[in-house]
Amino acid sequence: MDGILTGLNTAQRTAVTSEASVLQVLAPPGSGKTKTLTARVAYFIAHRQLKPWNIIVCTFTVKAAREMQERIRGFVGDQVAKKLKIGTFHGIALRYLRQYGKHKAIVKRIIAQAQSELDPAAARSRISTQKSKGVSAEQFTSTVSKNVEQRDFSQVFSLYQAQLKACNLLDYDDLLLVCVQLLRSHPECVANVEALLVDEFQDTNGVQYELMSLLAQRRNVITIVGDPDQSIYGWRSAEIKNLGRMKEQWSDTLTVNLEENYRSSGAILHAAQMIIEQDESRPPKKLQATHTIGQRPVLRKLPQARHEADWLTAEIKRMRALTGNMLELSDFAVLLRSAALSRPIETSLGAAGMPYRMIGGMKFYDRVEVKMLLDYLRVIDQPSHNEALARVINAPSRKVGDKTVEVLQREASNKGISLWTLILGFAQGRTKVTTNLNAPAQRGIEQFVNVILTLQKKLAADPSGLYELFAQLQKMIGLQEHLKTKYPDDHETRWSNVEELMALAIDAQVQASTEGHREEEVDGPALGDGAVDESALTAFLANAALAASIDEKVVAEGEKVHQVTISTIHAAKGLEWPVVFIPACYEGSIPHSRADDNDEERRLLYVGMTRAQAMLYLSCPGKSTRQEDTTMSSFLEQPGVSSFFEEHGPSISHAEVQSLAVTLQRCCPDIAAIAATAAALDLQEDNYWPLTGELPFTEASWQEGAHQSSAMPVFGNARSASWANSTTNPGEPSTLGFGFTSVKDRFQSLMEEQEEKQTLRLDRLAGKHQDGQGPKGKKRQIEGQGSIATFFGKKPKMVEEAQPTMMPESELPVSLPPYARPLRDISNLNPEPIRWTKPAGKPASLLAHKPRTAPLYKRQPATHEGVRQSASVSESLTSSSVAVSTGHLNESEIDADPRPAPPNTTPAALPPFRPPASLHTTSMQAVAARGPTLGMRRSMQGWGSRGGKR
């Protein structure tokens, strides 16, 4: 028994040796829950003398069951461990139900017999969902609506269950349901069970909870291990409420909290705890790190999703170099909220020549809908591609079966022509085929040929219009409706993959345009006679094939390589890596736009963060892969969260490398080895991308020696068919639309934006001086605009000179190359600073004057005396050298003017005049003869003030 308890902390010992019949062990990430659970099994056998064949241990995966059995074998030996009942819930149920059969063919046959339009795979998935909720076919039929599709599914569900019963078969989900029925009616089947232990209890659904209760119904000795903060499978019918339900059913339940974390550094745990504690409904739990504080997590802002992928790839290179290659590629993981987000990351890793592997999903270019579109494009680009044509001629369905396609391929081969030539001649009535084709198949072939010819014509008219080609292709084949029909459960995810591929087409289109403009503006050597002018589509397909085949090439060469891991967060649960990246942390991604439970989305982010051992990176692009503006995830925008994160990647010293080696239990490279690998880096700091998430100033193709990135392929020319060897100019607009902008226009717009920002900054600075640093809510006066106080004689405040703050050139890092310097204020490019001065030759009070919009005095009726007086004023002003605008100043404003009056100016001799107002009567109007009036005379006075007269 002493060996069983060796290496356990106080909380783990308490859980292992507890005498409680019903025990809940709440184990946060990295707290040693598996070690605790296996030690309790060994303790039951060694100390309580329980028989191993009477102990049941339930897990959620076969892999976890095997790992647990290996650990128990180390405690009690191989012979005893073999007698334990360890397995998944379904595996345990199978021990009590000996008969099990195939069900896939049954569903397909039933759908065919019922002449239903349901997809067999989708129907099986829906049946499984209903059974996981404990809903039988009879119960579902009683609640079905009048919807035709619902009635079809109800019929298939009922016939399916009847067929299983007739054949004495059970499907995978029936294992649990029928086992529950069996143990209810025959409890003596589990009378020998002395103890039940369950791992990952927070992921159990209602049926599994009931099965747990029935398995332990004789002695009620139950130990569960779980963590409510890691309940992330609600979409699979998992119920986090089972923890509370368990306490209600067994009131004597004892809860033990494991608080010590053996996986992550202190800084990572503090940040993760800050996120999860936003859920006030969760039970409070402590999480204590056993490692040093380590590097603070990073929360990085980037301009766009492709820039985010480039930064991620660059950071992997930088961290490997700065640690002397102590970190391998397999030490890095990229965890995604959804698999559709992997496209730009896969592209960037492929461009850098970094092999990667996918967990919890297929690689982007291996997904069905992506392969379908690429095959269509291959046929459009090269119709003689028989394999691609054979794969898409009946996708979506055109009633051209596999056997028909096979016979057509054989006929084309016998005639020595391509399959496309054969069906094209048949569709156009120029060729007869010997293959027997029914009417639906003939129409299907004609429809397919029409799609290809239409798109070839469109491509010929606009060779660079990749996005438009994609858009028309998916519309002509009805791809979105096809996905909804064939994959009803995950059609939205699949359509997201289509949109990702279309976004890649937009990037390729813009890249091809940028390359074309550069060739026009830069005089270079002409292409030789042997050069091939690739179309944008050909280059696009070549680079897609290259990105998809990098890992295959490495495996084929027999090399043992380390690979970066790309995984969904769901699939990463239970795993760990030294360095973890979580990109796309914005609203709509995490929390997901289709998520019903925000609390579960928060727990998902928490699970992803706690996969990291030593370093953690979170990032948010300003624009998604679909060029939509994004907002930082609400989980990361809560007050106080930013204090737990750095804004950029860490600077790594040798002491920090040593600390990292201790955390990972590895040998630390010496200073010379680190210096040698770091010397190969262009930038040893994460300072290329501005912290604000904007594009760096050097991201312009017009600048000599600008930063070159290999993350994007070069499209539309023959100079590069490889993303890994291409050089690009990432100077296209940050807001990509369906068109593109030339380099010259882009540069001009950049300069105008910088000038506008500088002008606004100086305006704000001048406003602060003028307003005397007033309260923040006070409206700033524009220069030259007065107020009511200045109009009635209050001495106006003078506009002070404001000099913008200049950045001394000496403060810039001289060691950095020009393209590596951070974005600077545009004012540094001007040889002279901008100064605000008073206009020469005009009184300061004139600048503060604002014309009135209403008359100061009531309009008086015009008289002959008034006309003569107005005429004299007009003559006086005409002959005077005083500017006309001076007549707008009242007496106090004239006295306040510090300038001496001009020699010929005699303001005191001027006759009295009326202050100006909008729509006032001028002297010339007063002299002019008043003719007959039609209608009401225009006036600012009301009807009543004029006595009702016109």
Side-chain angles (χ1 to χ4, degrees), residues 445-511:
I445 291 176
E446 292 171 357
Q447 292 171 1
F448 175 76
V449 169
N450 179 58
V451 169
I452 300 301
L453 291 178
T454 302
L455 295 175
Q456 284 179 336
K457 184 177 180 181
K458 182 175 183 63
L459 181 64
D462 184 10
S464 63
L466 291 179
Y467 175 81
E468 292 77 7
L469 187 70
F470 265 100
Q472 186 165 348
L473 170 59
Q474 65 88 12
K475 184 177 181 180
M476 290 188 71
I477 66 177
L479 181 58
Q480 191 167 14
E481 292 301 321
H482 167 69
L483 296 177
K484 288 182 179 179
T485 303
K486 190 168 184 178
Y487 309 101
D489 291 337
D490 63 343
H491 68 89
E492 292 179 339
T493 300
R494 294 180 182 273
W495 180 248
S496 297
N497 294 331
V498 174
E499 291 178 322
E500 287 295 324
L501 189 61
M502 294 174 72
L504 181 59
I506 294 176
D507 292 343
Q509 184 170 324
V510 173
Q511 186 63 39

Side-chain angles (χ1 to χ4, degrees), residues 583-597:
C585 294
Y586 53 80
E587 289 291 306
S589 174
I590 184 165
H592 200 276
S593 56
R594 297 194 299 270
D596 296 327
D597 186 356

Side-chain angles (χ1 to χ4, degrees), residues 125-146:
S125 176
R126 293 178 64 180
I127 291 173
S128 176
T129 300
Q130 296 300 323
K131 289 186 176 183
S132 66
K133 296 178 180 179
V135 179
S136 64
E138 294 77 10
Q139 291 172 330
F140 183 83
T141 302
S142 63
T143 60
V144 72
S145 63
K146 295 182 179 180

Side-chain angles (χ1 to χ4, degrees), residues 476-667:
M476 290 188 71
I477 66 177
L479 181 58
Q480 191 167 14
E481 292 301 321
H482 167 69
L483 296 177
K484 288 182 179 179
T485 303
K486 190 168 184 178
Y487 309 101
D489 291 337
D490 63 343
H491 68 89
E492 292 179 339
T493 300
R494 294 180 182 273
W495 180 248
S496 297
N497 294 331
V498 174
E499 291 178 322
E500 287 295 324
L501 189 61
M502 294 174 72
L504 181 59
I506 294 176
D507 292 343
Q509 184 170 324
V510 173
Q511 186 63 39
S513 171
T514 304
E515 190 70 20
H517 281 288
R518 185 171 59 188
E519 290 178 354
E520 293 176 2
E521 296 183 4
V522 179
D523 295 332
L527 292 175
D529 296 335
V532 179
D533 188 10
E534 265 184 343
S535 69
L537 178 57
T538 302
F540 176 82
L541 292 172
N543 286 295
L546 176 66
S549 61
I550 286 179
D551 291 343
E552 296 175 4
K553 179 181 178 182
V554 171
V555 174
E557 292 175 353
E559 299 178 13
K560 183 179 179 181
V561 296
H562 295 276
Q563 298 175 310
V564 176
T565 300
I566 302 178
S567 172
T568 61
I569 301 178
H570 286 99
K573 190 171 181 296
L575 304 177
E576 61 185 29
W577 292 270
V579 185
V580 169
F581 292 85
I582 306 179
C585 294
Y586 53 80
E587 289 291 306
S589 174
I590 184 165
H592 200 276
S593 56
R594 297 194 299 270
D596 296 327
D597 186 356
N598 255 25
D599 290 336
E600 181 166 320
E601 292 294 298
R602 184 185 297 106
R603 294 194 293 269
L604 191 62
L605 179 59
Y606 172 77
V607 168
M609 295 173 67
T610 52
R611 300 308 96 194
Q613 295 174 279
M615 303 181 72
L616 173 64
Y617 292 83
L618 277 65
S619 57
C620 174
K623 288 184 179 294
S624 66
T625 54
R626 304 172 195 173
Q627 299 305 315
E628 299 171 346
D629 291 333
T630 64
T631 305
M632 182 78 72
S633 171
S634 56
F635 305 143
L636 301 173
E637 287 285 294
Q638 297 297 320
V641 172
S642 60
S643 62
F644 290 85
F645 293 89
E646 293 286 353
E647 293 182 318
H648 56 80
S651 302
I652 304 294
S653 65
H654 186 258
E656 289 168 325
V657 175
Q658 290 176 323
S659 176
L660 187 64
V662 172
T663 300
L664 301 178
Q665 299 180 357
R666 298 182 183 180
C667 296

